[in-house]
Structure formats: C-alpha cells, structure tokens
C-alpha cells in the first residue's frame, strides 16, 4: 500500500496505539475521536487484555458508579493512560482549555478544563494531542493554565506528559529538562517545517525519522472493526474519516 | 412525600429566580422539555452547576437570558462544537464563569451529600483554575509531611433537575448506571425530575432495579414528560440524540438573531405541544 492511500488520522491513530500496547487500562475523555480510535485499536490488538473506557460511550465503558468513577479510578492509579489537548499548549507542557486573553473578558473562549486539572497530575502516561500544529496553538506561554506540565517537588504528581502528537509530528517529553524532543515527523513534514510552525523551543536530535505508516493489516482492522466501534461515540468522525454511517 | 405534578408548567414554577441548579451532562438525563417550560416562564439569575459539565440545555438557558453564573468544568455541544451562546456571553462579560475541573465538582457534591464541610482532592495545584477560585483552599495534609492538598467546600445546590426513564408512584426514580444523578439528588436541597413514564408497582421491591433507583426520599416533585430529553437522548432507553437538530441548533445559535429564531420556533412556539 502506498503512503498516499493512508489518511493522516490513520497515521495518528496507529502512532498513538503504539504507545498504548501492553497497558492495563486506557481511558478516553471528551472530544477525543482520534485517541478513542487509537485506544480501541490497542485493545483489539491486545486480544482484550487492555481495558478501554471511553467517556460518553455506553458500549465501551466499564464504569457503573456515575461521572465521578473515572476520576476516583485514576486517583487510585488504576488508569495507565489518558489524553489531553489544549487550545494552546506551551513548551513547558502547560495546557490551556479555557481562554485566550484576559479570562474575564477573553478574546476567545473554549469549553473549559474538563478533568485535566486532576487527570494530568495522576495518570502516568498522559498523551497530549493537538491536531492544529501552528504558532497560534503551540506557544511559548499559555494564556491560562488548565493544568501545568510539571509541578513543584512537594506536589503529588505521579502523572504527567508522556508524549505530544500533532498533525505534523510526534514529540517525546524529556522529564528531567522539562522540554519536548522532536521524535518523528509525519509524511510531508521536515525538521524545518516543524521549526517554522512551532512557537516554543524544543530539542532536535541528529536523526529525526519519518513517522511510520500503519501496515495493511492494521489499516484493515482500523477501517473495519475500529471504525464501527468509534462510530457509536463519534458518528461525525467515523463518517468523515472512514466513510461510515452509525449503525441504527 | 414526593409530589406528583401533572403539568410541566407546575414543575417549572418551582425553578425560581436566583436558584443554584445542578445539571447533568448531555449524555446523562437532561430535562429539556422542563427547561423549555422554564424559559417560557422567564426565570432569571440562575446559577448553573455542571455535574461536571453541561451542554445544550445550559447553552439554551444562557442564550435565553436566564443565567447569571455558570459553575462548570466545561460547556460543550460535543461533536457540534463550541456552545455558541455560552461563548458569546463570556466574551461579552454578561455571565460569571466559575471554572472548575470535573472531580472538584464531584468532590463538592460528595461533601454536601455526607453533610461534611469540605472534601479534599489532589491535582489543581499550580493551575489557573485554582488561582481564580477564592472559595477553594490549599491546606496541608494533616497526616502527611509537606503535602499540600486542595479543600473543596460542600456544594449544596438549591435544586437538582434531570430527566430519567421511569419513576413509580412512591416517587422512586430509576436512573440505572447514571449515578451522578444520585449524587446530585443527595446533595441538593430539592430535586425536580421528569420521567418518560410513571409505572405501577414499587421500583424498590426488586434489588435489580433498587440498585439504580433514587429513593423518593430525595425527590421533591416529579412529572411525566414523553421524550423529555429531546433533542438529547436518554441512556438505557431507545431515545438517541437528534444529531440533525443539534447541528441545526449549533448553526442557528451562532448569532443572536439566529438564536432568537430558534427560541421562537422550538421553545416559545412549542408550548401547545408540551
């Protein structure tokens, strides 16, 4: 299969799923169709060993104790991976889900912080995703900190950023130096194009590979079973990416 | 005793100006038919509490001028994007937003349901959510050593308001696994519920239904409202969200004129139907 047949979303889903293989329990929050599909892909490949809880799903959700259970479960360390995004994300991995400008009279207002003010602290492997990689979104300093990338030593912080995926590239997180490190660039992007479109400083190793494409088997699984599963929660996404209508 | 109310308007009359109201998210049980009746009454200055977020119904109430404060972890129309009337109101400075994070809302309600002054939670430290909430306090874990934690005061809404699949004539309300509705009912001073149907018998008689049932003890008043969550769906029923309508709402509500036309067509104009 040639690269041109593979959609960007499929590369992202494949890449994220690769970071979830072998985990016990992956949870997916609101407005997260690409991570949701990636978690379901990781589950399918694990033969069911990886549990997946998708917020807003009735079929792919273990919780039976209401809206609080996801957070209680995460607080106990029972969730290995979660996904967060941000209207802005900065070079210190701070995320902003609230507003641009003065929060009291903002230039732009977004839905809000959701569970990020907690889950970013307690889930060990938080994968950041931002599917608009520009200097407008990846900034030097966010206007509002919904949740900080890193904390003072006395703050309870078993969780935090593990990686960041965008529509252009994948970053690793160097926890010691509190910086992003360019890990791979998606097809069509270069080290230079990433630099041009990123508003914060990050590290660039000598060799930066192209993000691998999913193989034919993975693509078939994604376009078949995973497309059907994600359509329950994100019918618009399933239709747009996989050409699938939600089953009645 | 739970009062069995025969009209939506009579139930809507219990939603008074300035009340603090716990609202479920769109995927739980939203009492949308009741909210349309409340908007027709012209209620003002509501303090909405999203448990832990709210969507369409809150945006509708904000657009209709019923809301003074939005205390919530987010306001979203899901796949239909930003909640347009919330966004416009925040940018215009016409509502006060008390931004939260989901487990902080749950923590506040859980303190209220157990009659405790506050709950303690991790997270939040170093965020602007915490920096902007002067009602939350960082305290030292009394059992730890240099371990800051956040104290969230009890959150006691005047009203919890939601829609559910069924209730019995004793006022017991079956909610299945949507147990945030249970916490809301425990925490609030009064709870108003609409249901798809009021059934004969006792939902508390069978442990299988009892486990997912809010006892009438917590339910102040309830009324029947068929398809009462429309245009949202209702879990554990065959009612699914009317995505076409929600897309239309998201489009129309982008402008004030469009929103006014929406209200005229679907809210003030629906009185006869409801």
């Amino acid at each position: 299969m040639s690269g041109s047949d593979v959609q960007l979303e499929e590369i992202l889903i494949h890449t994220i799923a690769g970071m979830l293989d072998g985990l016990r329990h992956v949870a997916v929050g609101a407005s997260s169709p690409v991570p949701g599909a990636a978690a379901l892909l990781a589950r399918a490949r694990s033969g069911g060993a990886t549990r997946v809880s998708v917020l807003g799903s009735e079929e792919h959700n273990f919780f039976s104790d209401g809206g609080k259970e996801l957070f209680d479960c995460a607080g106990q360390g029972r969730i290995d991976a979660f996904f967060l995004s941000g209207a802005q994300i900065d070079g210190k991995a701070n995320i902003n889900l609230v507003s641009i400008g003065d929060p009291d009279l903002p230039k732009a207002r977004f839905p809000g912080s959701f569970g990020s003010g907690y889950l970013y602290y307690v889930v060990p492997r938080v994968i950041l995703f931002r599917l608009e990689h520009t200097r407008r979104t990846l900034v030097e300093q966010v206007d509002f900190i919904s949740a900080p990338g890193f904390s003072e030593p006395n703050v309870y912080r078993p969780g935090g950023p593990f990686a960041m995926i965008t529509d252009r590239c994948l970053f690793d997180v160097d926890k010691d130096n509190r910086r992003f490190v360019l890990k791979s660039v998606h097809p069509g992007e270069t080290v230079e194009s990433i630099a041009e479109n990123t508003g914060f400083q990050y590290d660039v190793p000598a060799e930066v590979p192209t993000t691998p494409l999913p193989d034919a088997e993975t693509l078939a699984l994604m376009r078949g079973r995973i497309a059907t599963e994600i359509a329950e929660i994100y019918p618009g996404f399933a239709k747009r990416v996989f050409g699938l209508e939600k089953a009645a | 005793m739970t009062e069995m109310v025969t009209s939506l308007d009579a139930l809507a009359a219990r939603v008074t100006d300035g009340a603090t109201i716990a609202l479920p998210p769109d995927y739980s049980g939203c009492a949308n038919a009741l909210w349309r009746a409340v908007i027709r009454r012209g209620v003002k200055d509501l303090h909405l509490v999203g448990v832990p977020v709210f969507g369409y119904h809150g945006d509708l109430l904000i657009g209709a001028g019923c809301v003074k404060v939005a205390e919530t972890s987010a306001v979203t129309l899901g796949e239909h994007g930003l909640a347009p009337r919330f966004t416009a109101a925040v940018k215009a400075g016409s509502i006060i937003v008390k931004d939260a994070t989901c487990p902080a809302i749950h923590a506040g309600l859980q303190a209220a349901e157990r009659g405790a002054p506050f709950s303690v939670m991790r997270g939040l430290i170093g965020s602007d959510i915490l920096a902007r909430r002067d009602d939350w306090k960082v305290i030292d874990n009394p059992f730890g050593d240099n371990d800051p934690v956040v104290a969230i005061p009890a959150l006691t809404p005047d009203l919890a308001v939601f829609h559910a699949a069924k209730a019995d004539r004793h006022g017991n309300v079956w909610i299945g696994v949507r147990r945030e509705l249970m916490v809301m009912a425990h925490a609030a001073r009064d709870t108003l519920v609409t249901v798809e149907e009021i059934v004969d018998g006792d939902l508390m008689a069978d442990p299988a239904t009892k486990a997912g049932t809010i006892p009438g003890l917590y339910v102040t008043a309830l009324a029947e409202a068929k398809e009462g969550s429309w245009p949202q769906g209702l879990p554990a029923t065959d009612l699914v969200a009317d995505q076409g309508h929600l897309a239309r709402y998201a489009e129309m509500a982008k402008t004030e004129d469009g929103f006014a036309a929406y209200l005229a067509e679907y809210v003030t104009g629906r009185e006869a139907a409801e």
Side-chain angles (χ1 to χ4, degrees):
Chain A
M1 182 165 282
S2 75
S4 61
D5 296 333
V6 181
Q7 301 174 83
L8 176 64
E9 285 87 350
E10 292 171 327
I11 297 173
L12 302 177
I13 291 167
H14 169 66
T15 305
I16 295 172
M19 294 187 265
L20 306 175
D21 286 332
L23 299 184
R24 300 165 305 163
H25 188 178
V26 178
V28 184
S31 310
S32 307
V34 165
L40 293 168
L41 176 60
R43 181 178 72 177
R45 291 198 301 218
S46 77
T50 300
R51 290 178 190 269
V52 172
S53 300
V54 183
L55 188 76
S57 170
E58 288 189 50
E59 289 169 34
H60 309 292
N61 189 325
F62 287 99
F63 300 128
S64 60
D65 201 16
K68 73 182 179 66
E69 189 178 359
L70 164 68
F71 307 102
D72 294 350
C73 192
Q76 289 182 301
R78 293 180 190 268
I79 292 176
D80 301 317
F82 192 73
F83 307 90
L84 291 172
S85 187
Q88 296 174 320
I89 298 174
D90 71 23
K92 298 285 178 205
N94 298 314
I95 63 172
N96 171 13
L97 290 155
V98 170
S99 56
I100 304 294
D102 173 4
D104 289 320
L105 272 178
K107 279 188 271 184
R109 168 75 207 201
F110 308 104
S113 301
F114 290 96
S116 65
Y118 184 72
L119 295 175
Y120 206 17
Y121 296 77
V122 298
V123 177
R125 194 172 284 201
V126 173
I127 297 167
L128 301 173
F129 68 104
R130 188 62 174 99
L131 304 187
E132 181 200 323
H133 182 149
T134 63
R135 286 178 173 262
R136 192 177 78 99
T137 57
L138 302 188
V139 298
E140 191 62 46
Q141 173 67 51
V142 295
D143 289 15
F144 183 103
I145 299 176
S146 288
F150 301 94
S151 297
E152 295 301 312
N154 66 333
V155 174
Y156 182 80
R157 192 78 200 253
F162 177 79
M164 175 159 68
I165 191 159
T166 74
D167 54 339
R168 297 181 191 275
C169 72
L170 175 66
F171 289 105
D172 261 344
V173 176
D174 177 347
K175 288 198 163 133
D176 294 333
N177 294 307
R178 301 187 168 190
R179 278 169 77 87
F180 288 109
V181 181
L182 188 58
K183 167 112 172 188
S184 68
V185 296
H186 304 336
E189 299 291 339
T190 61
V191 169
E192 292 72 29
S193 72
I194 302 304
E196 212 169 288
N197 288 287
T198 307
F200 58 72
Q201 301 295 309
Y202 55 93
D203 294 332
V204 184
E207 295 289 324
V208 179
T210 300
T211 310
L213 301 183
D215 59 20
E217 193 188 344
T218 304
L219 276 174
L221 183 57
M222 227 186 268
R223 292 170 181 176
R225 174 176 163 186
I226 305 309
T228 310
E229 288 177 351
I230 201 70
E232 183 227 349
I233 315 129
Y234 296 106
F237 173 80
K239 188 175 173 184
R240 180 172 62 79
V241 176
F242 299 113
L244 200 82
E245 298 286 349
K246 185 180 181 180
Chain B
M1 278 290 283
T2 305
E3 192 174 333
M4 308 301 263
V5 178
T6 52
S7 82
L8 270 181
D9 286 340
L11 200 58
R14 292 170 179 261
V15 179
T16 52
D17 290 354
T20 297
I21 299 174
L23 292 181
D26 282 345
Y27 53 80
S28 187
C30 297
N32 288 325
L34 178 63
W35 289 119
R36 287 188 284 274
V38 168
I39 290 170
R40 288 192 289 266
R41 278 193 62 223
V43 169
K44 294 191 302 291
D45 296 335
L46 298 180
H47 175 149
L48 304 182
V49 178
V51 183
V53 304
F54 61 78
Y56 167 80
H57 52 353
D59 200 57
L60 197 63
L61 286 163
I62 291 168
C66 304
V67 179
K68 184 176 180 182
V69 180
E71 179 171 3
T72 186
S73 307
V75 184
T76 172
L77 298 183
E79 273 201 311
H80 302 290
L82 296 176
R85 290 297 95 202
F86 165 75
T87 310
V90 178
K91 287 168 81 170
S94 59
I95 60 168
I96 297 163
V97 186
K98 295 176 83 173
D99 270 293
T101 190
C102 303
I105 302 263
H106 295 305
L109 292 172
Q110 287 176 281
E113 74 173 343
R114 68 173 79 100
F118 63 89
S119 287
V120 160
M121 64 177 281
R122 295 208 178 274
L124 281 170
I125 294 170
S127 73
D128 286 328
I129 306 172
L130 177 63
R132 292 171 56 80
R133 291 294 300 248
D134 53 16
D135 51 339
W136 298 349
K137 291 193 187 324
V138 177
I139 60 173
D140 254 337
N141 171 4
F143 305 102
D145 176 24
N146 186 22
D147 179 18
V149 291
V150 182
I152 307 288
L155 177 50
T156 307
D158 296 314
L159 292 172
V161 181
F162 54 85
H163 185 68
K166 58 187 171 182
D168 64 23
R169 292 178 208 290
H170 311 286
N172 303 312
V173 176
W174 185 78
I175 54 159
V177 298
R178 295 300 356 156
R179 295 187 71 86
E180 61 277 351
L181 302 174
M182 181 82 79
V183 179
M184 282 164 52
H186 288 173
R189 293 186 180 90
D190 285 289
T191 294
L192 309 180
V193 183
T194 57
V195 291
E196 285 299 309
E197 59 170 340
I198 294 173
V199 298
D200 294 328
D202 182 354
L203 291 166
M204 304 292 272
D206 178 353
T209 49
K210 187 176 184 178
T213 296
I214 301 175
L217 159 67
Y218 301 100
V219 180
T220 310
L222 71 87
E224 209 168 60
K226 292 279 182 214
E227 298 185 26
S229 60
W230 180 87
Q232 296 298 343
L234 187 64
T237 69
D238 53 11
L239 297 172
V240 298
D242 183 345
Q243 301 295 348
H245 182 89
L246 292 168
R248 183 167 164 74
Y249 174 78
E251 189 54 40
M252 289 181 81
K254 274 183 185 158
T255 65
E256 244 174 85
D257 288 351
F259 181 78
Y262 180 91
L263 272 190
E265 190 172 350
Y266 296 104
V267 180
T268 47
R270 265 177 77 92
E271 189 154 16
E274 288 176 339

